[in-house]
């Protein structure tokens, strides 16, 4: 009996470990263990993609390749702001201040590639309005805070009726800029989000460009006004939906990013 037992032990494969996890038929009876490690609650994730590390730097690097030395000159500064339309809808934008132009960049922070650039020569800017946002009494969505309205080409004819009632029209000779609703954790990004500092820098550069390259009818430089910036929406259902869901900002929503 002892001899048979010894013979059976000798036939075992020494490379197969003896462990209770490995059953006789592991494919039939083994269930992978589920491990739920604790997450460090002190680690914060940026709510907006634009404020995540290196995202803005990469976007600025990608976009500077589209600048024109002749039309724009040297890039002076870049800013993280938001644009609010005449209907009260918002979207985040990158803004570039160059020697000769002011560029608004609509950048896809999900794909990190597709974009549109909207160029305004600095000497075309004839009016700058700074003040609190103002809405009609019937407006459902009223955003608080200050806005900067930049106007150009004051001799242009007023927009058509269809353009005026189109919340996504680009056939307007002005743009409204507001401060981005997010708060960056990195100090250098927080500096890029200061709307009032951007306003001071923009007006300084516009005045300088008007001196160097004045246009007919703008010899006295831009008109600078301190008054409320009027948003023309009457009831604003589109604005209300846009604001509640923040459709104009790249951020994770319900487990998805858009």
């Amino acid at each position: 009996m002892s001899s048979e037992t010894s013979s059976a032990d000798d036939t075992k494969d020494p490379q197969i470990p003896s462990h209770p996890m490995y059953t006789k038929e592991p494919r039939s009876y083994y269930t992978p263990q589920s491990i739920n490690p604790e997450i460090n609650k002190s680690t914060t994730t940026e709510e907006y993609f634009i404020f995540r590390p290196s995202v803005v730097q990469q976007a600025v690097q990608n976009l500077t390749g589209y600048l024109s030395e002749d039309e724009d000159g040297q890039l002076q500064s870049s800013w993280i702001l938001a644009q609010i339309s005449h209907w009260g809808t918002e979207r985040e934008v990158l803004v570039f201040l160059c020697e000769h132009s002011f560029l608004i960049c609509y950048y896809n922070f999900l794909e990190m590639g597709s974009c549109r650039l909207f160029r305004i020569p600095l000497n075309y800017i004839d009016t700058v309005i700074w003040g609190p946002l103002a809405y009609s009494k019937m407006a459902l969505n009223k955003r608080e805070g200050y806005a900067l309205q930049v106007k150009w080409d004051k001799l242009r004819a007023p927009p058509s009726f269809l353009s005026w009632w189109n919340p996504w029209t680009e056939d307007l000779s002005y743009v409204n800029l507001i401060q981005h609703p997010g708060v960056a954790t990195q100090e250098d990004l927080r500096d890029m989000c200061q709307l009032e500092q951007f306003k001071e820098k923009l007006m300084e550069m516009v005045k300088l460009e008007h001196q160097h390259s004045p246009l007919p009818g703008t010899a006295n430089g831009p008109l600078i006004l301190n008054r409320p910036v009027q948003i023309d929406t009457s009831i604003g259902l589109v604005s209300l939906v846009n604001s509640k869901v923040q459709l104009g900002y790249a951020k994770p929503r319900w487990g998805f990013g858009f």
Side-chain angles (χ1 to χ4, degrees):
M1 189 69 176
S2 173
S3 172
E4 291 179 0
T5 304
S6 176
S7 176
D9 292 340
D10 292 341
T11 60
K12 290 182 180 180
D13 189 343
Q15 295 183 355
I16 299 178
S18 178
H19 195 284
M21 178 183 291
Y22 297 93
T23 61
K24 202 170 186 180
E25 298 180 8
R27 291 187 178 85
S28 301
Y29 299 101
Y30 174 66
T31 301
Q33 296 178 353
S34 176
I35 302 174
N36 299 311
E38 293 187 5
I39 299 175
N40 186 0
K41 300 296 183 181
S42 63
T43 302
T44 58
T45 301
E46 294 292 356
E47 183 182 6
Y48 299 88
F49 292 157
I50 195 171
F51 293 136
R52 292 186 175 178
S54 77
V55 169
V56 172
Q57 289 83 354
Q58 182 63 49
V60 171
Q61 182 179 349
N62 292 346
L63 290 167
T64 50
Y66 296 101
L67 300 182
S68 168
E69 180 69 25
D70 295 332
E71 293 184 79
D72 304 316
Q74 293 295 319
L75 175 63
Q76 301 298 305
S77 57
S78 52
W79 305 79
I80 301 170
L81 300 173
Q83 178 184 343
I84 183 168
S85 73
H86 63 300
W87 271 42
T89 57
E90 302 175 24
R91 66 183 304 176
E92 62 189 351
V93 292
L94 279 176
V95 177
F96 290 164
L97 282 181
C98 300
E99 287 180 301
H100 309 305
S101 64
F102 154 54
L103 294 99
I104 300 173
C105 311
Y106 306 103
Y107 193 77
N108 189 328
F109 287 98
L110 296 179
E111 297 179 358
M112 291 299 293
S114 60
C115 63
R116 286 190 304 127
L117 293 177
F118 190 65
R119 175 185 286 115
I120 307 159
L122 292 176
N123 57 351
Y124 279 35
I125 297 174
D126 49 57
T127 308
V128 176
I129 301 174
W130 168 257
L133 289 163
Y135 297 81
S136 69
K137 293 182 179 179
M138 296 179 61
L140 297 176
N141 181 56
K142 298 180 180 180
R143 195 188 198 281
E144 297 182 352
Y146 276 65
L148 179 68
Q149 186 176 87
V150 182
K151 294 186 173 186
W152 60 90
D153 197 8
K154 61 184 177 183
L155 300 178
R156 182 192 297 189
S160 66
F161 179 82
L162 291 177
S163 292
W164 191 258
W165 285 97
N166 177 6
W168 299 281
T169 186
E170 295 181 354
D171 189 26
L172 299 176
S173 59
Y174 68 87
V175 63
N176 299 322
L177 297 173
I178 56 177
Q179 192 147 314
H180 195 290
V183 179
T185 56
Q186 296 184 357
E187 185 66 33
D188 56 339
L189 296 186
R190 283 200 297 270
D191 293 340
M192 293 175 67
C193 299
Q194 303 306 312
L195 181 63
E196 193 163 2
Q197 292 181 14
F198 168 77
K199 176 202 68 170
E200 299 297 334
K201 186 65 175 176
L202 173 67
M203 290 192 300
E204 174 188 331
M205 296 185 64
V206 168
K207 291 177 181 178
L208 190 63
E209 188 66 10
H210 273 265
Q211 292 175 4
H212 291 167
S213 304
L215 295 176
T218 63
N220 296 325
L223 180 63
I224 300 171
L225 301 173
N226 289 292
R227 69 183 188 193
V229 175
Q230 185 68 39
I231 303 301
D232 298 314
T233 179
S234 54
I235 296 176
L237 289 175
V238 174
S239 170
L240 181 63
V241 173
N242 176 275
S243 176
K244 293 298 182 183
V245 189
Q246 290 194 315
L247 292 176
Y249 301 89
K251 57 185 296 189
R253 298 181 179 92
W254 311 296
F256 299 93
F258 59 92

